[in-house]
Every structure is written in structure tokens, then in C-alpha cells.
Amino acid sequence: VIQEIQTAAAGADHIFLACDPDREGEAIAWHLAEELKKKAKKKSIQRILVHEITKKAIQEAIAHPRELDKNLYEAQQARRILDRIVGYQISPILWDKVRRGLSAGRVQSVAVRVVYEREKEIKAFKPQEYWSLDFSLQGENPPPFTARVIHFKGEKLAITNGEEAKKIEAAVRGSKLILI
């Protein structure tokens, strides 16, 4: 394919590279330009950005070519390296735990990390007995409503057993209630 492109470029006065308008497209254009420079040393090679395949869009892109952007190319290379560094460590775990042939990179590693941290929280969870007190109340105007006791005697409630719940329930029934 490279030889076909080089042959076609040899007969051209000017070469436009129109790969996808993103970092990966810039990297593909960069690599193509490197290959084309070997055969078409004095040819003008420029990058055009085509966001839609219409006559007007292509004419507009050709009217405004630009040089290849080394920063975009290097950004893509850095992302590729990160994918490999991270992916080479995570992919074998996926093969072992999920299914052979899966791969992971910088994006998937974040998801794996979130799952790992959540699993760690789940395993560290210590179940505790917890009670709440709800009362059905009737005001001057219907309808009746349910209210949960949150504070009692100026303290936030943290009821940890049935016995304690019964004591507080009895005390609350004999108290003046304040709705907040």
C-alpha cells in the first residue's frame, strides 16, 4: 500500500494528507509523510482537515492546508505509549478473570481502578445493626404523615439495638415533638 501511495505521489506536484482530524489521524499523516519524503524529497506535503465528505468541505480544506502538527503527533504517541504501559499490565488480568483476547489501556484502566476501589470498600464493610424510629402523626389538618426521629434530647440518634430503640420510643412518645 505504501508503494502504491509513493508511486501516486511521485506524479503529483503537491501532496495533501487528509486522514481523520484527530490525534490518530495526525499520526497517520505524519507517518505517511515520512514514507513519502523518501521518494518525493522536494514535494510539498501538507495536511488538510476534512470534517465531512462534500465537495464544498473538500474545496474548503484544500484552500486552507496546514503543516503537520508535531505536538498532535507527539500527543498521540504519548497516548499510545501509555496504552501499552498500562495495557500490558492490565490485559493479562482481563484474560485470566474475564476472557482471553480482551485488551485494556489508559481508558479501561480507570474503569478497572474504580471497580477495584469499590470492591475494596465492599469487602471492608462491617455490617452494623441499625434502627430508625418512624411515627405516624396527625396534625390539626389531615392527612396523617410519617415522621422519622433524627434527634433526641439534642443528640443525633444512632440506635444500634432493639432494646435501645424501645427505650427511646417510649421516651419520645411522652415528649413534645418538634418538626424540622
Side-chain angles (χ1 to χ4, degrees):
V1 173
I2 294 292
Q3 288 175 344
E4 286 179 37
I5 294 171
Q6 287 173 332
T7 301
D13 295 327
H14 193 85
I15 301 166
F16 293 111
L17 300 173
C19 302
D20 287 349
D22 57 13
R23 286 182 202 90
E24 284 74 21
E26 195 73 21
I28 291 167
W30 189 276
H31 291 295
L32 276 172
E34 291 298 310
E35 291 299 320
L36 292 173
K37 286 177 188 174
K38 293 175 185 175
K39 299 285 182 179
K41 296 186 187 317
K42 295 185 181 179
K43 304 275 181 176
S44 169
I45 300 174
Q46 290 186 297
R47 175 96 158 98
I48 59 171
L49 300 178
V50 179
H51 297 280
E52 60 187 56
I53 302 176
T54 63
K55 183 177 180 179
K56 182 181 176 188
I58 292 170
Q59 287 173 335
E60 181 68 22
I62 290 172
H64 297 96
R66 65 167 176 78
E67 298 303 312
L68 289 166
D69 188 335
K70 188 174 184 180
N71 289 331
L72 286 177
Y73 163 72
E74 288 178 347
Q76 190 278 335
Q77 293 295 89
R79 289 177 70 170
R80 188 170 139 232
I81 290 166
L82 272 174
D83 275 342
R84 288 184 175 171
I85 290 171
V86 174
Y88 286 177
Q89 293 177 28
I90 294 178
S91 294
I93 296 168
L94 285 175
W95 301 340
D96 186 46
K97 303 292 183 192
V98 182
R99 189 185 66 192
R100 189 112 183 106
L102 294 175
S103 64
R106 68 186 183 286
V107 175
Q108 296 85 356
S109 66
V110 175
V112 170
R113 180 66 185 213
V114 169
V115 170
Y116 164 78
E117 288 175 358
R118 184 69 179 126
E119 185 66 21
K120 204 165 103 175
E121 287 175 18
I122 290 168
K123 286 181 178 179
F125 177 74
K126 302 281 188 259
Q128 293 179 316
E129 190 172 349
Y130 175 82
W131 289 71
S132 59
L133 289 176
D134 293 345
F135 289 90
S136 181
L137 303 176
Q138 175 73 46
E140 290 179 19
N141 299 320
F145 60 94
T146 301
R148 176 163 289 166
V149 180
I150 297 173
H151 290 87
F152 184 66
K153 294 184 179 178
E155 298 285 323
K156 185 171 178 163
L157 283 182
I159 307 169
T160 58
N161 61 59
E163 211 174 277
E164 185 182 3
K166 286 179 183 176
K167 286 180 188 174
I168 294 172
E169 178 187 11
V172 168
R173 285 193 187 280
S175 300
K176 180 179 176 184
L177 300 177
I178 301 170
L179 298 177
I180 51 173

